[in-house]
């Protein structure tokens, strides 16, 4: 006897003693996980460009995207004396480096995560990816 919709034998559908498939360590296509991508860079324009690309890919795959959340900018300041010796007028140079940070959250299957994380990233942008089971 065949099921008319799925074209499979009814005996296989009703067989409860069949072994249950367990997800492998890598995960299967149906496994939904949460992924957090943390991007850091000294160049704010390059960082925003990568964030826009990630969000565009996520929305094209029809998955929920949260972000980019703009974290506070770290400002590293260094004040150094201009004069190589200790004599002369007390003049100083002030240097500053700003580190921008963005956080984007995705909730999607493992296969889509691999597609999202395989895109090219601009040089100077550091990427940190963390996974969490839902």
């Amino acid at each position: 006897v065949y099921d008319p919709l799925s074209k499979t034998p009814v005996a296989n559908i009703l067989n409860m003693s069949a072994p249950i498939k367990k997800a492998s360590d890598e995960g299967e296509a149906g496994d939904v996980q949460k992924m957090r991508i943390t991007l850091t860079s000294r160049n704010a324009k390059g960082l925003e460009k990568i964030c826009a690309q990630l969000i565009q890919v996520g929305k094209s795959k029809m998955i929920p995207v949260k972000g980019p959340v703009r974290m506070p900018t770290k400002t590293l300041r260094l004040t150094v004396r201009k004069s190589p010796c200790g004599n002369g007028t007390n003049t100083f140079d002030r240097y500053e480096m700003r580190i921008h940070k963005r956080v984007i959250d995705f909730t999607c299957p493992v296969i889509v995560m691999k597609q999202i994380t395989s895109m090219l990233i601009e040089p100077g942008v550091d990427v940190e990816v963390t996974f969490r089971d839902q």
Side-chain angles (χ1 to χ4, degrees), residues 29 35 57-58 61 63 108-117:
M35 175 176 64
V57 168
K61 304 285 183 187
I63 57 173
C108 58
V110 176
I111 292 175
V112 178
M113 285 185 186
K114 290 179 182 178
Q115 293 172 356
I116 291 171
T117 56

Side-chain angles (χ1 to χ4, degrees), residues 86-101:
N87 299 331
T89 308
N90 294 336
T91 54
F92 295 91
D93 280 330
R94 293 179 190 88
Y95 297 101
E96 185 175 282
M97 181 169 58
R98 294 173 183 247
I99 300 173
H100 305 277
K101 188 174 185 179

